[in-house]
Amino acid sequence: MPATLIERAAELGYPAVALLDRDGLYGAPQFYRAAKAAGIKAIVGAELTMRTSNFELRTSNFPSWTLPVLVASAEGYRNLCRVITHGKLRAAKGEAAYGLTDFEGHTSGLIALLGREALNAERHGVGGLVDRLVGVFGRGHVWIEIQRHLQCEDQGDLQALLDLGAAFRVPVMASNGVRFATPEARPLYDVLTSIRHKTTLARAGRRLTANAERYIKPPGTMA
């Protein structure tokens, strides 16, 4: 899978591509080798399963949220490995959970991305999560991430995220939350998703992608 994404990114002329595994760095070696062979810079990171408080970390009854974190240096890679290891040791086998306190003293070389979760005012307060991340990672290491997947709530959420970026003076970047290289690969991705959740396509429901927009789009389309 990483090699397929790299191949498509090279065809479209991208100079760099990022891969973020869920709660780990499992695909990083294969991804790095494929990127190097294609002449593309490999950026690695992880999408971490987060809990809002230490109390929530002690139980799985609370809803989690996802924090994408990118590695910007060798020190950042070491720091992310430390955070992931700590979270894995604390959780049951096959699970992981992290709190922002896990990053204390381990944020150097890391960049945190914040998307629609920043708009969850009921959980974090208005702008509260942006403020907390800036406090933990530093203003220069937090980016607002926007994505457009042609869904009805997209435009309102995008404008709200742009407003948050302006209010907290943090930069904004556009990604696509890529899950497959081309739209034609969506059915295979849905099959793999069903397998991962130990269910069938007919019963997977909202676990499946809403449409085929999460592919590697040409740079002009992203711009």
Side-chain angles (χ1 to χ4, degrees):
M1 185 65 170
T4 302
L5 296 175
I6 288 291
E7 181 180 356
R8 182 56 179 159
E11 290 174 356
L12 294 173
Y14 278 99
V17 178
L19 176 73
L20 290 83
D21 280 317
R22 175 59 63 89
D23 296 324
L25 297 163
Y26 316 107
Q30 180 185 356
F31 177 71
Y32 179 81
R33 288 192 296 268
K36 186 175 182 180
I40 291 179
K41 180 180 180 180
I43 302 171
V44 298
E47 291 186 337
L48 302 179
T49 301
M50 304 293 294
R51 304 285 183 182
T52 301
S53 67
N54 289 332
F55 174 73
E56 292 183 7
L57 280 171
R58 294 192 290 269
T59 176
S60 59
N61 295 331
F62 291 89
S64 61
W65 52 282
T66 302
L67 178 66
V69 179
L70 296 176
V71 169
S73 67
E75 184 179 7
Y77 185 83
R78 290 192 294 271
N79 280 330
L80 184 55
C81 287
R82 290 189 185 99
V83 171
I84 290 173
T85 299
H86 182 67
K88 292 284 189 180
L89 290 173
R90 181 174 52 213
K93 184 177 180 180
E95 299 178 4
Y98 308 88
L100 289 179
T101 54
D102 291 329
F103 287 96
E104 292 179 357
H106 302 296
T107 59
S108 180
L110 295 177
I111 296 174
L113 305 181
L114 184 57
R116 283 183 167 89
E117 183 62 28
L119 305 179
N120 192 335
E122 183 177 348
R123 179 183 290 173
H124 307 290
V126 178
L129 187 54
V130 184
D131 190 50
R132 289 188 68 192
L133 286 181
V134 169
V136 172
F137 288 87
R139 193 176 307 280
H141 296 273
V142 176
W143 288 65
I144 295 291
E145 179 187 19
I146 60 174
Q147 300 179 10
R148 178 181 285 125
H149 298 141
L150 301 186
Q151 295 180 274
C152 59
E153 69 275 13
D154 275 359
Q155 197 55 43
D157 286 353
L158 292 181
Q159 188 57 56
L161 288 170
L162 291 172
D163 291 343
L164 277 178
F168 285 90
R169 294 182 289 114
V170 296
V172 177
M173 56 89 69
S175 75
N176 201 37
V178 168
R179 297 294 183 265
F180 31 83
T182 65
E184 293 74 22
R186 181 211 172 175
L188 174 59
Y189 178 77
D190 284 346
V191 169
L192 295 174
T193 299
S194 299
I195 293 172
R196 186 169 68 252
H197 289 284
K198 298 180 175 62
T199 187
T200 64
L201 282 169
R203 296 178 178 177
R206 294 189 177 182
R207 295 186 181 97
L208 304 180
T209 52
N211 53 39
E213 288 298 308
R214 288 176 173 266
Y215 68 97
I216 303 180
K217 298 182 177 181
T221 302
M222 291 301 299

